Amino acid sequence: MIALRLATVLLAISLPSALAANVQKSDLQLPPDAAVHREAVKKIFTDSYSAYKKFAFGHDDLSPLSSGFSDGRNGWGASIVDAMSTVHIMGLDDLFVEAVNFTSNIDFSKSQTPDTVSVFETTIRYLGGLLSAYELSDEKYPVLLEKAKEVADKMAFAWVGNNAIPFGFINFAKNAPTVGSSNIAEAGTLSLEWTTLSAHTKNQTYSDLSVGSLRHIANLAAPLPGLAAQGIDPSTGAFVGGYVSWGGGSDSYFEYLIKYARLSNTDDPLFANTWLTAVDSSIKTLTRRSTVGNHLYLADFDSNRKIRHISSHLACFHGGNWIFGGKLLNNATIVNTGIELNEACWNTYASTQTGIGPEAFAFVSSDGNFTGGNGLTADQVKFNAQHGFYITSSAYILRPEVLESNFYAWRATGDRKYLDRAASAVQSFNQFLQTPTGYAGLNDVNNVKSTKIDDTESFWFAEVLKYLYLTFDDPKNISLDEYVFNTEAHPYKAPKAKATYGTNTIFPPESFTAKAGPAPPVISPTRFNSGHRNPE
């Protein structure tokens, strides 16, 4: 691990000239029709949740097409726990009490399915949802904290011996981790939830474990300054390969660097400085403009140090994250770049026949169109010539990231075009996702007659509908200056912001050699999307 780094000249980002600013624009004003759109979002939620209650209550996901259910998150009722913070924010008090009563009886001693337990998914959905619900309800229901502690105590077995990095999966019945490689998103997306648990239980161990993992990753020599390699081996603490991405498998590690700094108000500058360095490196090395439309994208960077002209719905969180972090650092360059990244991601929605964006896409820039995969088909060439990107995976599995960044852009700028975009998404969801029993994803967002996907992921309740609802709600409700969202959109109460975060230090390049190791886990698997590994 690297104990000390020297500052380098900041080339891509202008240094701030004032103290940290608030994230939200002051005196945001909603138009008169905002309440109508807010209620439309609430109706989508209640219709979806009613279908879940009728056909899947107590299970993880609703299967809306077959009027059934699935248990991809260990059968503990993921949709209930994940929905709790949204339920509370929407003022659905009866549903909230029902969820608390259900949660009080969850048996976290073992998985209710034959599956092992994902530390990452269980942290962001179950632990994250329980703690947010506990705070939002003013700590009225101690059982929520008790259950949060119960599930965290089981997950703590993922840290073996002196390992700073937890293994990604555990057999809860045996308290035994599955020995294997992990990725920085899984290992580095724990700090918000586990430090919040420490704050409420007064047990510092939870924070020490999760922040220790985040710190370890940040201190490793990286392929590019601040930009950690995606794969990591918990047994050795070393990176596996040298693949760099803001997409799945890496995304929320970068997200949590700046969010942990904000939620904890830590005096340790490592986290904010590493995030700033990552953004600086990204602007210098990863940003590309499409030859059609001049859209701004963040490319991937592979282990052969080649640019891959690819992006994804998952990666589209970056616009909101850069707006958030740029505001905290009072850095207009970062904020404006985040806004541009958000524009390109919204274009993936605006360009399809359904008005909904695809799972993955690629682009052509002045340096080519290398993706590591096959060349463009004739249809992709035609689509790219019209829209400045082309679709490489056409599904929509109810992901939130584009609407998440749209929410941040609205709250930070007050530009009403973001409200119009959110309203457009609501209209598209009602037109193309609605079924007689809830809402379902699409196999092809560029086909108005697309078949649907028989699954309603819990993040539909936790993220998509929360971000949409808050976009149209009173901006003082869950203000970005008073709360920090985890990567599943569960808000935590934040202390008053510090005057500044980090020391505006950009870390210099370091010697890095990609090392072989066990293959990283697949990224964001679901029953209907088997996931993928970024090639080395």
Side-chain angles (χ1 to χ4, degrees):
M1 294 176 66
I2 299 156
L4 180 65
R5 287 168 165 150
L6 298 176
T8 191
V9 177
L10 180 59
L11 298 177
I13 300 176
S14 59
L15 287 170
S17 58
L19 297 179
N22 288 333
V23 175
Q24 285 201 180
K25 179 179 172 61
S26 60
D27 299 324
L28 281 174
Q29 297 296 318
L30 288 165
D33 64 349
V36 175
H37 297 303
R38 184 191 64 210
E39 293 307 303
V41 176
K42 189 174 182 178
K43 186 177 189 304
I44 293 175
F45 181 94
T46 54
D47 287 350
S48 298
Y49 201 76
S50 293
Y52 167 78
K53 285 183 61 176
K54 183 174 182 179
F55 297 108
F57 191 80
H59 295 280
D60 292 337
D61 289 356
L62 168 69
S63 302
L65 305 184
S66 56
S67 301
F69 58 82
S70 64
D71 284 312
R73 296 293 164 219
N74 305 102
W76 292 316
S79 286
I80 297 172
V81 180
D82 227 3
M84 288 181 77
S85 60
T86 308
V87 165
H88 194 279
I89 286 168
M90 289 184 175
L92 301 169
D93 297 341
D94 291 345
L95 291 181
F96 188 80
V97 172
E98 178 183 64
V100 171
N101 291 336
F102 172 85
T103 299
S104 67
N105 293 310
I106 295 177
D107 179 9
F108 282 124
S109 67
K110 62 182 183 299
S111 174
Q112 303 305 308
T113 70
D115 304 312
T116 54
V117 177
S118 165
V119 174
F120 166 72
E121 295 286 1
T122 303
T123 290
I124 66 173
R125 302 194 200 209
Y126 288 109
L127 179 59
L130 289 165
L131 291 171
S132 182
Y134 179 66
E135 289 192 348
L136 290 171
S137 58
D138 295 323
E139 305 178 16
K140 181 180 178 181
Y141 301 99
V143 70
L144 298 175
L145 181 60
E146 293 168 14
K147 287 296 174 180
K149 182 179 183 300
E150 182 181 319
V151 72
D153 286 345
K154 298 292 285 187
M155 287 192 287
F157 286 98
W159 282 267
V160 175
N162 293 323
N163 290 357
I165 303 297
F167 288 104
F169 295 85
I170 307 177
N171 181 327
F172 264 26
K174 298 180 179 180
N175 295 330
T178 302
V179 176
S181 189
S182 188
N183 61 51
I184 59 171
E186 292 189 354
T189 310
L190 311 170
S191 56
L192 301 189
E193 299 84 356
W194 290 64
T195 55
T196 299
L197 182 61
S198 282
H200 290 296
T201 62
K202 311 305 181 187
N203 184 341
Q204 188 63 22
T205 300
Y206 303 116
S207 179
D208 290 345
L209 289 172
S210 62
V211 178
S213 180
L214 188 67
R215 183 188 307 278
H216 179 91
I217 298 169
N219 272 322
L220 290 175
L224 294 168
L227 289 171
Q230 186 169 93
I232 193 165
D233 185 350
S235 296
T236 64
F239 287 136
V240 176
Y243 198 94
V244 170
S245 175
W246 282 77
S250 301
D251 45 6
S252 46
Y253 159 72
F254 297 115
E255 175 187 358
Y256 272 35
L257 284 170
I258 192 64
K259 286 186 173 180
Y260 171 70
R262 172 64 185 94
L263 184 63
S264 67
N265 273 353
T266 177
D267 291 327
D268 186 341
L270 172 68
F271 307 101
N273 286 350
T274 303
W275 182 85
L276 181 64
T277 303
V279 171
D280 182 64
S281 288
S282 297
I283 292 175
K284 292 174 181 174
T285 306
L286 304 184
T287 52
R288 292 293 185 277
R289 288 197 178 273
S290 61
T291 54
V292 176
N294 202 39
H295 302 295
L296 186 69
Y297 298 108
L298 282 188
D300 283 7
F301 181 86
D302 69 22
S303 291
N304 295 317
R305 305 187 73 81
K306 292 188 69 174
I307 288 292
R308 298 198 178 204
H309 301 72
I310 59 176
S311 192
S312 65
H313 203 294
L314 278 168
C316 281
F317 89 96
H318 49 34
N321 185 247
W322 288 29
I323 292 168
F324 174 79
K327 283 285 189 178
L328 287 179
L329 301 181
N330 197 29
N331 193 305
T333 302
I334 299 176
V335 173
N336 292 335
T337 306
I339 288 172
E340 276 205 86
L341 291 171
N342 180 57
E343 289 296 306
C345 285
W346 179 255
N347 182 55
T348 69
Y349 271 55
S351 298
T352 69
Q353 294 297 309
T354 63
I356 301 170
E359 176 74 1
F361 54 94
F363 51 90
V364 180
S365 62
S366 61
D367 64 337
N369 63 342
F370 178 74
T371 65
N374 297 325
L376 283 72
T377 66
D379 285 343
Q380 287 174 328
V381 169
K382 181 178 179 181
F383 189 92
N384 182 73
Q386 293 177 305
H387 304 293
F389 75 98
Y390 59 97
I391 296 169
T392 56
S393 178
S394 61
Y396 176 65
I397 62 168
L398 311 182
R399 290 204 189 276
E401 292 79 16
V402 174
L403 297 171
E404 171 186 354
S405 288
N406 187 74
F407 164 71
Y408 277 91
W410 155 246
R411 287 282 185 96
T413 70
D415 190 329
R416 291 188 180 182
K417 72 180 180 183
Y418 301 115
L419 300 178
D420 295 338
R421 291 173 179 179
S424 173
V426 171
Q427 181 179 357
S428 290
F429 290 168
N430 278 325
Q431 183 174 356
F432 297 108
L433 306 185
Q434 192 171 15
T435 77
T437 50
Y439 287 70
L442 297 175
N443 284 304
D444 185 356
V445 295
N446 203 38
N447 180 357
V448 295
K449 296 182 179 179
S450 172
T451 55
K452 293 183 174 66
I453 298 171
D454 194 17
D455 188 45
T456 304
E457 277 270 9
S458 69
F459 48 66
W460 172 250
F461 299 110
E463 300 189 71
V464 177
L465 300 179
K466 182 186 288 107
Y467 283 127
L468 279 173
Y469 183 86
L470 288 174
T471 299
F472 296 116
D473 198 22
D474 183 347
K476 295 184 179 66
N477 189 21
I478 315 296
S479 166
L480 291 175
D481 297 319
E482 298 174 359
Y483 288 84
V484 174
F485 289 89
N486 87 333
T487 198
E488 194 77 0
H490 296 304
Y492 302 119
K493 294 179 180 178
K496 184 178 179 181
K498 294 171 61 177
T500 188
Y501 289 87
T503 56
N504 294 303
T505 299
I506 301 298
F507 299 135
E510 298 174 300
S511 176
F512 176 83
T513 302
K515 298 178 181 178
V522 294
I523 297 165
S524 192
T526 74
R527 291 191 302 133
F528 301 97
N529 172 40
S530 60
H532 68 278
R533 287 187 178 92
N534 282 327
E536 291 302 314

